[in-house]
Amino acid sequence: DTPVAPHPATGRTSRAALESLQVMRGLAAFAVAVYHTHLILAEPVYGSIRVFGPVATRGWTGVNFFSVLSGFIIFYAHARDIGVPKQAGRYVWRRFSRVYPVYWIMLSAYLAAAAVGIGHPDFSWDPANIALSYLLVRGNGPPDLPLSVAWTLIYEVVFYTAFLVLVLNRRVGIALCALWLGAIFYNGLYLADPENPWTHVWNLYFAMGAGTFYLFRRVQSARAGMLFLAAGLLILGLMFASGIVAPKVNLGQAQEWVLVGLGFGFGALLLGSVIVERARPISFPAPLLLLGDASYSIYLVHAPAISLMAGLNHKFGPETMPPQVVFLLVLLVSVIAGVAGHLLLEKPLLRAMRNFARRGQGG
């Protein structure tokens, strides 16, 4: 079975899990929560609280890391399925069960809350838009998603679909991926077109993750792993220290090469970590592993939880606590809400779907 699942929309389900991947995706989810805590609290409707800006405003890069991790894990988990059409059904079911059911429940809960006037929803109630939001399919123009963080899942579903072609037919899949990469390099990098989502540089993160997987299979030395780890930390450290990483993610701005640089930095960090752990098994604290297990739920739940807490603070307790305390408290509650969502909803739901699949296979 699959060894590990590090994207926020995947879970750790196998006997050969790499714990460093769990920790990294948990920290990536935490970074995104930090970013959105700053972004939401800074809104005038919530009191214009602005603290920890130099660090918090770069937390959006956790999503970049998620995408690199996703490219790695899909190949790590399903490389043996490439060119084996009979595995397509299993692959589709696993990807579907990881992404959609818990997303549908949380999206429905968010829509229900918005419908009765909770929060400050800013999206179109047009039935076509709502349907596309449930399907995680992009229509004409930028997505107008009720759960705004789901924009990254649209990219994820496209990548899953491309990998499905690899499973169905290796040669056709390789040709398709080569054409896709060529279009990304030409339109996304050379022409620097930020408007076309299918050729946007963001899609390169999945390719970088796939390349990381193939290097992981070939590089065995723990010393080499340490070098990759150091290189990743150096690249990311220089990029953040230099200030070239923007304080807000904006795919409409021409920052393609910054996104590529982040991909190389996160790819090297990932590669070094998994090589070192394979050579020298590491045991991480249980809370960090739980954070990784809950990362998808944290990703889906944290923004509405932050908005709710920020609204309550602004209504009932403005200026009763220092802004730094408000920030940390709102952040903590949003993460706890995500962990609770994982334990009470996501984990039982995934278990039920696995049991359903096993009964179907047994039948």
Side-chain angles (χ1 to χ4, degrees):
D1 206 324
T2 58
V4 68
H7 185 267
T10 54
R12 187 175 51 142
T13 60
S14 88
R15 59 190 178 275
L18 292 168
E19 291 190 349
S20 57
L21 292 175
Q22 287 299 97
V23 171
M24 284 186 286
R25 70 189 187 105
L27 294 177
F30 184 80
V32 176
V34 169
Y35 171 67
H36 283 128
T37 300
H38 180 275
L39 207 64
I40 293 170
L41 286 176
E43 292 290 330
V45 70
Y46 295 125
S48 300
I49 297 174
R50 299 176 185 273
V51 292
F52 305 124
V55 174
T57 53
R58 271 69 180 183
W60 62 268
T61 56
V63 182
N64 308 57
F65 200 8
F66 275 138
S67 298
V68 176
L69 286 165
S70 183
F72 179 91
I73 192 49
I74 293 303
F75 277 83
Y76 189 18
H78 295 285
R80 290 174 296 179
D81 298 337
I82 294 176
V84 187
K86 67 179 182 179
Q87 294 294 335
R90 173 178 171 273
Y91 166 77
V92 170
W93 174 256
R94 296 195 64 171
R95 295 306 103 213
F96 168 82
S97 63
R98 290 294 179 188
V99 176
Y100 282 99
V102 66
Y103 167 70
W104 284 342
I105 293 172
M106 293 183 179
L107 173 59
S108 298
Y110 182 83
L111 290 173
V116 298
I118 298 176
H120 300 275
D122 182 21
F123 60 90
S124 170
W125 284 94
D126 179 75
N129 181 64
I130 299 300
L132 290 174
S133 298
Y134 272 95
L135 293 173
L136 290 174
V137 174
R138 183 173 175 135
N140 295 325
D144 187 16
L145 300 162
L147 280 178
S148 58
V149 295
W151 70 268
T152 63
L153 301 180
I154 295 176
Y155 284 91
E156 188 78 11
V157 169
V158 171
F159 168 58
Y160 288 170
T161 304
F163 192 90
L164 175 61
V165 179
L166 278 170
V167 174
L168 292 171
N169 189 299
R170 182 186 182 93
R171 290 184 179 180
V172 173
I174 290 174
L176 173 67
C177 290
L179 290 172
W180 189 21
L181 280 175
I184 294 168
F185 277 109
Y186 179 73
N187 198 57
L189 275 177
Y190 179 69
L191 296 182
D193 175 14
E195 301 300 327
N196 188 330
W198 317 122
T199 60
H200 194 277
V201 172
W202 203 275
N203 296 287
L204 281 180
Y205 289 136
F206 303 115
M208 290 177 172
T212 300
F213 163 72
Y214 281 104
L215 285 173
F216 170 70
R217 293 210 306 184
R218 287 162 175 76
V219 178
Q220 302 294 325
S221 167
R223 180 175 297 179
M226 292 298 296
L227 290 175
F228 279 115
L229 189 59
L233 292 173
L234 179 62
I235 293 170
L236 295 171
L238 289 175
M239 291 188 70
F240 284 106
S242 67
I244 65 173
V245 178
K248 185 176 180 180
V249 60
N250 187 343
L251 300 186
Q253 294 181 345
Q255 52 175 346
E256 289 77 13
W257 289 104
V258 173
L259 296 177
V260 171
L262 287 170
F264 277 112
F266 285 127
L269 181 66
L270 165 61
L271 180 59
S273 298
V274 292
I275 290 174
V276 169
E277 182 179 357
R278 180 180 56 191
R280 302 169 182 172
I282 305 169
S283 180
F284 292 92
L288 287 179
L289 295 176
L290 176 60
L291 199 68
D293 288 335
S295 58
Y296 187 38
S297 291
I298 293 171
Y299 189 72
L300 293 177
V301 167
H302 77 275
I306 292 167
S307 297
L308 178 61
M309 289 293 295
L312 291 173
N313 174 74
H314 187 56
K315 183 176 181 178
F316 298 110
E319 301 181 1
T320 60
M321 292 185 290
Q324 293 84 357
V325 175
V326 172
F327 183 100
L328 294 174
L329 182 61
V330 169
L331 171 63
L332 178 62
V333 171
S334 73
V335 172
I336 292 174
V339 173
H342 167 71
L343 295 174
L344 299 176
L345 174 63
E346 182 189 12
K347 190 174 181 180
L349 184 59
L350 289 173
R351 185 184 302 114
M353 297 192 73
R354 283 197 297 270
N355 292 336
F356 176 81
R358 291 192 188 102
R359 287 196 298 270
Q361 293 169 354

XYZ file of all heavy atoms in Angstrom, residues 122-163:
337
model
N -18.029 36.561 0.937
C -17.786 37.376 -0.249
C -17.606 36.455 -1.451
O -16.493 36.199 -1.904
C -16.545 38.252 -0.048
C -16.287 39.169 -1.244
O -17.231 39.408 -2.006
O -15.133 39.612 -1.399
N -18.725 35.925 -1.950
C -18.685 35.037 -3.109
C -20.050 35.070 -3.783
O -21.038 35.549 -3.216
C -18.334 33.601 -2.697
C -19.317 32.989 -1.724
C -20.424 32.280 -2.181
C -19.142 33.109 -0.358
C -21.340 31.724 -1.295
C -20.050 32.552 0.540
C -21.151 31.869 0.066
N -20.093 34.555 -4.990
C -21.338 34.540 -5.756
C -22.178 33.321 -5.396
O -21.667 32.203 -5.339
C -21.034 34.521 -7.258
O -22.216 34.280 -8.005
N -23.487 33.556 -5.181
C -24.411 32.467 -4.909
C -24.990 31.883 -6.201
O -25.914 31.074 -6.139
C -25.566 32.949 -4.014
C -25.167 33.106 -2.579
C -24.749 34.241 -1.975
C -25.166 32.080 -1.569
N -24.475 34.011 -0.642
C -24.728 32.685 -0.360
C -25.489 30.723 -1.559
C -24.616 31.987 0.834
C -25.375 30.025 -0.359
C -24.928 30.641 0.807
N -24.454 32.289 -7.317
C -24.929 31.738 -8.594
C -24.811 30.211 -8.566
O -23.754 29.683 -8.196
C -24.099 32.293 -9.751
C -24.531 31.733 -11.090
O -25.577 32.145 -11.600
O -23.807 30.840 -11.608
N -25.881 29.482 -8.929
C -25.836 28.012 -8.845
C -24.667 27.388 -9.596
O -24.094 26.394 -9.131
C -27.181 27.579 -9.445
C -28.087 28.743 -9.202
C -27.219 29.964 -9.330
N -24.334 27.954 -10.747
C -23.202 27.407 -11.510
C -21.907 27.556 -10.725
O -21.062 26.651 -10.702
C -23.092 28.103 -12.865
N -21.730 28.704 -10.064
C -20.519 28.914 -9.273
C -20.459 27.960 -8.094
O -19.395 27.408 -7.778
C -20.461 30.361 -8.774
C -19.208 30.642 -7.969
O -18.095 30.571 -8.477
N -19.381 30.934 -6.689
N -21.599 27.754 -7.429
C -21.631 26.825 -6.296
C -21.325 25.407 -6.760
O -20.565 24.664 -6.111
C -22.996 26.889 -5.583
C -23.254 28.298 -5.044
C -23.045 25.869 -4.454
C -22.240 28.795 -4.044
N -21.897 25.006 -7.913
C -21.643 23.661 -8.436
C -20.166 23.475 -8.760
O -19.570 22.435 -8.425
C -22.495 23.415 -9.676
N -19.552 24.469 -9.409
C -18.125 24.380 -9.733
C -17.278 24.333 -8.457
O -16.240 23.663 -8.422
C -17.710 25.565 -10.597
C -18.247 25.584 -12.036
C -17.883 26.891 -12.729
C -17.715 24.397 -12.827
N -17.738 25.028 -7.415
C -17.009 25.005 -6.149
C -17.027 23.617 -5.538
O -16.019 23.149 -5.008
C -17.625 26.021 -5.176
O -17.528 27.337 -5.687
N -18.162 22.931 -5.610
C -18.237 21.566 -5.088
C -17.382 20.613 -5.918
O -16.759 19.687 -5.376
C -19.685 21.081 -5.078
C -20.442 21.435 -3.819
C -21.231 22.583 -3.760
C -20.341 20.649 -2.675
C -21.913 22.924 -2.600
C -21.025 20.973 -1.510
C -21.801 22.117 -1.481
O -22.468 22.448 -0.320
N -17.337 20.836 -7.215
C -16.582 19.930 -8.093
C -15.085 20.225 -8.091
O -14.294 19.411 -8.553
C -17.113 20.034 -9.522
C -18.536 19.529 -9.760
C -18.986 19.867 -11.182
C -18.626 18.031 -9.515
N -14.715 21.403 -7.587
C -13.323 21.864 -7.658
C -12.849 21.930 -9.109
O -11.763 21.465 -9.464
C -12.406 20.960 -6.823
C -12.587 21.058 -5.318
C -11.752 20.016 -4.588
C -12.236 22.459 -4.812
N -13.709 22.511 -9.918
C -13.421 22.713 -11.338
C -13.492 24.202 -11.615
O -14.395 24.891 -11.136
C -14.427 21.953 -12.226
C -14.212 22.297 -13.694
C -14.294 20.458 -12.001
N -12.569 24.694 -12.389
C -12.527 26.118 -12.705
C -13.377 26.400 -13.928
O -13.273 25.723 -14.946
C -11.084 26.558 -12.946
C -10.947 28.054 -13.221
C -9.483 28.436 -13.289
N -9.317 29.822 -13.665
C -8.479 30.666 -13.079
N -7.767 30.243 -12.056
N -8.352 31.911 -13.478
N -14.213 27.431 -13.841
C -14.998 27.876 -14.981
C -14.287 28.988 -15.715
O -13.059 29.115 -15.667
N -15.045 29.828 -16.415
C -14.464 30.977 -17.097
C -14.127 32.059 -16.081
O -14.945 32.423 -15.249
C -15.448 31.529 -18.138
C -15.701 30.534 -19.253
O -14.809 29.799 -19.657
N -16.922 30.509 -19.758
N -12.921 32.553 -16.145
C -12.502 33.585 -15.216
C -11.977 33.014 -13.919
O -12.002 31.807 -13.691
N -11.511 33.896 -13.033
C -10.967 33.439 -11.752
C -12.032 32.739 -10.922
O -13.210 33.090 -10.993
C -10.514 34.758 -11.089
C -10.394 35.743 -12.194
C -11.415 35.352 -13.212
N -11.647 31.753 -10.131
C -12.621 31.051 -9.291
C -13.172 31.978 -8.210
O -12.449 32.823 -7.671
C -11.807 29.900 -8.688
C -10.392 30.349 -8.756
C -10.291 31.214 -9.966
N -14.445 31.835 -7.910
C -15.103 32.606 -6.867
C -15.608 31.631 -5.819
O -16.798 31.341 -5.724
C -16.258 33.419 -7.476
C -16.873 34.385 -6.473
O -16.235 34.635 -5.432
O -17.992 34.871 -6.721
N -14.676 31.111 -5.036
C -14.960 29.989 -4.145
C -15.437 30.461 -2.778
O -14.840 31.374 -2.195
C -13.699 29.140 -3.973
C -13.135 28.523 -5.261
C -11.694 28.091 -5.039
C -13.981 27.347 -5.693
N -16.495 29.847 -2.233
C -16.907 30.178 -0.861
C -15.776 29.939 0.134
O -15.462 30.809 0.953
C -18.092 29.237 -0.629
C -18.643 28.972 -1.986
C -17.439 28.933 -2.887
N -15.162 28.754 0.078
C -13.949 28.480 0.853
C -12.765 28.880 -0.014
O -12.305 28.110 -0.870
C -13.864 27.004 1.234
C -14.696 26.554 2.435
C -14.542 25.055 2.656
C -14.306 27.305 3.698
N -12.264 30.074 0.198
C -11.288 30.631 -0.738
C -10.012 29.803 -0.837
O -9.362 29.783 -1.893
C -10.950 32.069 -0.342
O -10.445 32.123 0.981
N -9.640 29.099 0.258
C -8.407 28.314 0.214
C -8.486 27.168 -0.787
O -7.456 26.597 -1.164
C -8.063 27.750 1.604
C -7.756 28.872 2.582
C -9.167 26.848 2.124
N -9.695 26.843 -1.257
C -9.861 25.707 -2.166
C -9.288 25.977 -3.546
O -9.231 25.058 -4.370
C -11.333 25.326 -2.276
N -8.822 27.202 -3.816
C -8.233 27.465 -5.134
C -7.032 26.551 -5.388
O -6.805 26.126 -6.531
C -7.830 28.931 -5.269
C -6.666 29.375 -4.438
C -6.706 29.920 -3.196
C -5.270 29.328 -4.800
N -5.435 30.207 -2.736
C -4.539 29.863 -3.708
C -4.575 28.908 -5.932
C -3.154 29.967 -3.713
C -3.187 29.014 -5.945
C -2.491 29.535 -4.848
N -6.288 26.214 -4.345
C -5.137 25.330 -4.536
C -5.586 23.907 -4.863
O -4.880 23.177 -5.566
C -4.260 25.305 -3.280
O -5.000 24.759 -2.183
C -3.800 26.696 -2.919
N -6.751 23.515 -4.366
C -7.250 22.170 -4.648
C -7.644 22.015 -6.107
O -7.616 20.900 -6.633
C -8.444 21.852 -3.734
C -8.176 21.907 -2.229
C -9.448 21.571 -1.456
C -7.047 20.959 -1.848
N -7.997 23.118 -6.760
C -8.292 23.051 -8.198
C -7.037 22.643 -8.966
O -7.074 21.785 -9.851
C -8.848 24.389 -8.693
C -10.210 24.668 -8.041
C -8.962 24.406 -10.219
C -10.808 26.012 -8.399
N -5.910 23.247 -8.614
C -4.638 22.837 -9.215
C -4.343 21.375 -8.897
O -3.856 20.618 -9.740
C -3.494 23.712 -8.687
C -3.434 25.099 -9.292
C -4.095 26.166 -8.703
C -2.702 25.344 -10.446
C -4.032 27.444 -9.242
C -2.629 26.612 -10.997
C -3.293 27.659 -10.392
O -3.238 28.910 -10.941
N -4.650 21.000 -7.676
C -4.382 19.627 -7.235
C -5.170 18.616 -8.060
O -4.638 17.589 -8.491
C -4.770 19.500 -5.753
C -4.362 18.194 -5.113
C -2.896 18.151 -4.752
O -2.239 19.197 -4.809
O -2.414 17.055 -4.429
N -6.438 18.902 -8.307
C -7.284 17.986 -9.066
C -6.790 17.870 -10.503
O -6.812 16.779 -11.100
C -8.754 18.457 -9.006
C -9.617 17.687 -10.009
C -9.311 18.279 -7.599
N -6.319 18.949 -11.075
C -5.756 18.892 -12.433
C -4.536 17.982 -12.450
O -4.362 17.149 -13.359
C -5.394 20.305 -12.924
C -4.611 20.235 -14.240
C -6.655 21.140 -13.119
N -3.680 18.111 -11.449
C -2.504 17.237 -11.367
C -2.908 15.781 -11.205
O -2.341 14.888 -11.845
C -1.622 17.691 -10.201
C -0.532 16.721 -9.834
C 0.416 16.328 -10.764
C -0.456 16.190 -8.551
C 1.426 15.421 -10.424
C 0.542 15.299 -8.209
C 1.485 14.912 -9.140
N -3.889 15.508 -10.347
C -4.367 14.137 -10.187
C -4.866 13.571 -11.511
O -4.650 12.397 -11.824
C -5.517 14.093 -9.176
C -5.128 14.310 -7.736
C -6.117 14.505 -6.769
C -3.802 14.314 -7.318
C -5.784 14.694 -5.435
C -3.470 14.509 -6.001
C -4.453 14.702 -5.055
O -4.123 14.889 -3.740
N -5.532 14.410 -12.289
C -6.060 13.955 -13.575
C -4.933 13.628 -14.544
O -4.985 12.615 -15.262
C -6.986 15.029 -14.176
O -8.022 15.340 -13.238
C -7.606 14.546 -15.475
N -3.905 14.466 -14.576
C -2.755 14.189 -15.439
C -2.087 12.879 -15.034
O -1.678 12.081 -15.886
C -1.758 15.344 -15.363
N -1.974 12.638 -13.733
C -1.363 11.387 -13.279
C -2.240 10.197 -13.646
O -1.718 9.108 -13.948
C -1.119 11.422 -11.769
C -0.249 10.297 -11.280
C 1.120 10.438 -11.224
C -0.799 9.083 -10.891
C 1.933 9.395 -10.799
C -0.002 8.036 -10.451
C 1.374 8.200 -10.414
